[in-house]
Amino acid sequence: MSFDEFNILIGGEAGQGLVTIGELLSRAMVRSGCYILVTQGYQSRIRGGHNTFSIRAGADLPLAPQDELDVLVALDPETLDLHRKDLKKDGLIIASGSVGVDADGAVLVPRDMVLSGFENTAVLGVLAFLIGIESALFEGLIRDTLGKKHPEALDENLAAFKKAYEWAKTNTSRRMDVSKTCKTDRSGRSVMLNGNQAIALGAMSAGAKFCAFYPMTPSTSVPLTLIANADAMDLVVEQAEDEIAAINMAIGASFCGAPSMVATSGGGFALMTEGISLAGMTETPVVIVVAQRPGPATGLPTRTEQADLEFVLHAGHGEFARAIFAPGSIEACFHLTHRAFHLAEASQGPVFILTDQFLADSYRAVEPFNLEGLAPVRAGARVSDIEAPYRRYLITESGVSPRLLPGFSRHLVVADSDEHTEDGHLTEDLSVREAMVKKRFRKWTVVLKEVEPPEYHGPEAPETILLTWGSSRGAGLEAGKRLRQGGESVGNLHFDQVWPLAQDQFLGRLSSAKRVVSIEGNATGQFARLIRRETGFDIKDRVLRYDGLPFTADYILERL
C-alpha cells in the first residue's frame, strides 16, 4: 500500500502521551524525507478530555490540514466515536487494547502491552512497523527524546517499543510504505519546527536580548524556546507577575538598548494596551507577539481564530505609527520576526506579530534558514554623531529622532510619557503638542516604505481571487490549486502584513477580478472591512470560520 501522501490522526486523553507519539512519529517522517504538516487539537485540561495530534505527510509540502484520514490511532473510545466517520474506506484503525473495536482489519495492541505502563510507546511500536519506518530510526529518537526527559524510564520504553514492533511483524498483514511516499534524497536535509519556535529563532537572528512574558496559551512556547537558548544567545527572559509588568519591562529594557519583545494572547494583550501607548509616546522600539485564540474573555483558550486584528490595530490610546505582520508559514514566522525587530528600531515604536494557535502549534518540515545577510539590530544612534545638548525628540523631516541610550555617553537622555519638548521635558505648550503630533505621524512614511507586498499565485487576470491573511494561507492556496486543476480561473492573494496597507501593491489586481472572496478565521470579515475602509473596495463574498478549528481546503471549497 503506497500513497502520494497520507494523513494520520492520533487521538486520546491528555496524559496518555499522544503528543510524545506524535512528535516522535513526525521527526521520524522528516528524517525519512517526508514533508509534514501537524495540527494539534487539545483542551484546557491537564488530564482527560479529547486531544488530537494529526500529521499530513507526503513527498510534496502539505499546505493545510486535511479532514479525510488514512490512519486513525485511537488511545480511547471517544476518538473512535468522533473521527471514525473521517476514515477512508481503505483506511486503517490502530487501537489500544483497552478500546473496543468492531471494524474488520483493525489492529489492536495487546492488552499486556497496554497494561505495562508504556501504552503510548507500545502503540508507537506497532504504528512504526505499519507505516514502514525502520525500528532503528525510532530507537535513536526515543534515546534522544526520552533519554533527556525521563532517563530513569528509557530502558523500559525501548523494551516496550521493540516488543510491540516485533509483535506487529508477525501479527499484522497490512503495511504502508513510507519510503515510496517520501523522497529519500531529502533525508536529513529538513528541520522540524512549529510557528512559535520559528518566531523565537527569528527574534534571536535579529539580536533580541530581552523577553518578558506571563504564561498564556498559545504564546508561551515563544519565550520557552528563548529560555532554552538564553545562555548560548546571551539574552534574558523574565516571567513577570502579569502582562502589565511584562510590557513595561520590555519597554524599559529597550530604552536601555536591549532589543526587546513580549509574547501573549488576547486577554494578556488587553492588559498590555496602556504600555503600547507608552511605547508610542516615548518612541521606544518593542516587538509584541499576539497569538490569537477564540474570545471574548477566556473563550476557547486552546483553539484557533483570527479575530484580534481590529483589536491589535486599535490597541492603545492616542494615535501613533505601528506595523502588523501576520505570517502565514513557518518561514514567514522566522523572517518577519527578524524584520519586525529592525522596523521597530527604525521607526522607534511598537511592531506586532499576529499569529494564532494553529500556526503556533503546527510543526512543519522546513529547510534550514539561510542566515547570510541577516544582521542583528543595532540599538541607538552613534554617540559621535550627536551634539550636546542632546534632544531626544528632535523634530526631524522623517519624524525619527536620534536615539541615544542612557549611560553610554556624557549626553543626558530625558524621556517622558507626557507630551514633551524636543529635549524630553513635559510641556503643555499646545504649539509644541501640535508639532510633536506631526513629527510622530511622519514616521508613517518610514513604516509604509517597508510594507511587505502581498504574495500572488495564479493567472495574471483571474476571474476569481481568493484573499487570505495569516494562517489561512495554506488552505487558501490548496483550494485555489484544486480549482485551477479543475479548469477554473482562480488566483490566490495572500497578505503576510496586514497593516499598514499600500494600495498600489494590490488594489489594481482586486479591481480587475470578477469575484473576490475573503477567507478569514473570524465571524465578520475583519480584514475585508479594513480593505474597504482604506481603499473603498468592497469584498462582498466571504468564507469565514470561527468554530475554533483551522481552515481546510475542503471547508473553503464547500462554501464557495
Side-chain angles (χ1 to χ4, degrees):
M1 208 173 171
S2 63
F3 308 82
D4 292 330
E5 64 170 38
F6 57 90
N7 195 24
I8 298 175
L9 184 143
I10 305 166
E13 298 179 356
Q16 285 190 294
L18 78 162
V19 173
T20 301
I21 296 177
E23 289 188 357
L24 287 169
L25 186 61
S26 301
R27 292 188 190 284
M29 287 179 173
V30 172
R31 291 190 183 184
S32 297
C34 286
Y35 281 111
I36 63 161
L37 186 149
V38 168
T39 309
Q40 296 192 59
Y42 50 95
Q43 298 179 350
S44 184
R45 301 169 64 163
I46 302 300
R47 301 191 70 85
H50 176 63
N51 298 343
T52 60
F53 193 105
S54 303
I55 309 167
R56 188 180 180 186
D60 295 322
L61 180 66
L63 294 170
Q66 188 179 45
D67 294 326
E68 274 198 323
L69 300 173
D70 296 289
V71 181
L72 176 60
V73 182
L75 299 181
D76 68 349
E78 190 176 8
T79 297
L80 285 176
D81 295 340
L82 293 174
H83 301 286
R84 197 170 183 168
K85 62 179 176 17
D86 299 322
L87 194 66
K88 293 178 181 176
K89 286 185 179 178
D90 59 347
L92 177 63
I93 295 174
I94 302 172
S96 166
S98 58
V99 177
V101 180
D102 56 2
D104 292 339
V107 177
L108 286 181
V109 180
R111 289 182 64 84
D112 67 310
M113 295 184 192
V114 172
L115 297 174
S116 68
F118 301 96
E119 176 186 11
N120 59 338
T121 310
V123 171
L124 180 65
V126 174
L127 182 58
F129 174 77
L130 291 174
I131 65 171
I133 295 180
E134 293 299 320
S135 173
L137 177 54
F138 277 97
E139 290 171 29
L141 286 169
I142 290 171
R143 288 191 181 90
D144 291 344
T145 304
L146 299 183
K148 295 176 183 174
K149 293 182 179 177
H150 304 289
E152 74 285 356
L154 176 60
D155 291 341
E156 290 90 341
N157 273 290
L158 282 171
F161 175 84
K162 291 176 183 176
K163 182 178 180 181
Y165 195 94
E166 293 302 317
W167 175 87
K169 279 184 179 178
T170 56
N171 291 279
T172 59
S173 57
R174 299 178 65 189
R175 199 177 188 203
M176 300 176 177
D177 195 345
V178 168
S179 65
K180 292 182 180 177
T181 298
C182 301
K183 293 177 182 175
T184 53
D185 60 356
R186 291 190 63 259
S187 301
R189 286 173 44 197
S190 299
V191 294
M192 194 175 95
L193 290 174
N194 64 33
N196 277 1
Q197 290 172 330
I199 286 173
L201 291 174
M204 288 186 273
S205 76
K209 291 300 175 190
F210 183 79
C211 174
F213 76 108
Y214 184 78
M216 191 167 189
T217 303
S219 66
T220 307
S221 55
V222 173
L224 292 183
T225 304
L226 293 174
I227 289 170
N229 295 278
D231 290 340
M233 300 304 297
D234 192 24
L235 63 90
V236 173
V237 183
E238 174 73 15
Q239 180 175 331
E241 64 267 35
D242 57 34
E243 289 86 351
I244 298 172
I247 185 68
N248 286 298
M249 283 181 179
I251 292 170
S254 180
F255 177 71
C256 296
S260 300
M261 69 184 301
V262 296
T264 188
S265 186
F269 184 66
L271 294 173
M272 290 184 175
T273 53
E274 186 174 8
I276 302 301
S277 287
L278 179 64
M281 178 55 103
T282 59
E283 303 187 38
T284 307
V286 64
V287 174
I288 302 107
V289 178
V290 180
Q292 299 167 98
R293 65 190 206 187
T298 311
L300 296 172
T302 59
R303 303 295 179 175
T304 198
E305 202 162 83
Q306 293 180 290
D308 290 341
L309 169 59
E310 291 179 338
F311 180 29
V312 171
L313 179 62
H314 300 291
H317 48 292
E319 300 171 299
F320 49 92
R322 70 185 72 192
I324 306 174
F325 293 113
S329 66
I330 302 300
E331 292 84 352
C333 285
F334 174 82
H335 289 292
L336 291 180
T337 304
H338 181 92
R339 286 194 61 187
F341 273 86
H342 281 273
L343 184 57
E345 183 66 29
S347 63
Q348 296 183 17
V351 174
F352 299 87
I353 309 234
L354 195 53
T355 181
D356 56 41
Q357 180 269 330
F358 164 57
L359 190 57
D361 292 330
S362 183
Y363 287 102
R364 321 273 173 100
V366 298
E367 300 295 316
F369 301 129
N370 182 4
L371 303 180
E372 188 173 347
L374 295 182
V377 168
R378 185 182 185 281
R382 293 179 185 277
V383 174
S384 58
D385 295 339
I386 310 299
E387 295 182 356
Y390 172 57
R391 289 175 291 173
R392 170 65 187 93
Y393 300 111
L394 177 68
I395 291 177
T396 63
E397 188 175 342
S398 68
V400 178
S401 307
R403 186 167 91 96
L404 286 186
L405 309 177
F408 285 84
S409 71
R410 61 187 174 86
H411 298 286
L412 177 64
V413 180
V414 180
D416 203 296
S417 64
D418 285 52
E419 191 55 271
H420 38 247
T421 57
E422 286 185 299
D423 59 7
H425 294 288
L426 69 87
T427 182
E428 294 203 16
D429 183 326
L430 301 187
S431 63
V432 173
R433 158 68 182 178
E434 188 173 351
M436 281 296 167
V437 170
K438 289 178 179 176
K439 177 194 108 65
R440 289 192 290 268
F441 263 56
R442 286 199 290 276
K443 292 200 291 184
W444 276 112
T445 305
V446 176
V447 178
L448 267 170
K449 192 170 63 178
E450 299 293 328
V451 169
E452 181 84 4
E455 165 191 14
Y456 181 74
H457 296 271
E460 271 310 301
E463 292 184 359
T464 301
I465 287 180
L466 304 182
L467 186 148
T468 56
W469 64 276
S471 73
S472 57
R473 173 183 181 271
L477 283 175
E478 184 173 336
K481 182 179 178 182
R482 286 163 58 176
L483 288 170
R484 286 192 289 275
Q485 288 172 341
E488 296 192 38
S489 175
V490 176
N492 287 92
L493 188 65
H494 172 76
F495 288 75
D496 266 343
Q497 182 169 0
V498 290
W499 186 257
L501 296 173
Q503 296 187 26
D504 59 331
Q505 293 180 343
F506 63 90
L507 190 55
R509 195 180 288 281
L510 292 183
S511 301
S512 64
K514 291 181 180 178
R515 184 188 185 199
V516 178
V517 183
S518 181
I519 299 166
E520 302 187 50
N522 57 66
T524 58
Q526 294 186 16
F527 190 53
R529 280 209 305 273
L530 180 59
I531 288 178
R532 183 176 62 188
R533 190 189 83 179
E534 293 298 308
T535 69
F537 187 87
D538 190 10
I539 302 173
K540 295 183 174 64
D541 290 337
R542 300 169 187 179
V543 175
L544 307 174
R545 185 164 203 178
Y546 42 90
D547 59 1
L549 298 176
F551 277 107
T552 64
D554 287 334
Y555 186 94
I556 295 169
L557 293 172
E558 288 167 5
R559 288 159 179 80
L560 284 178

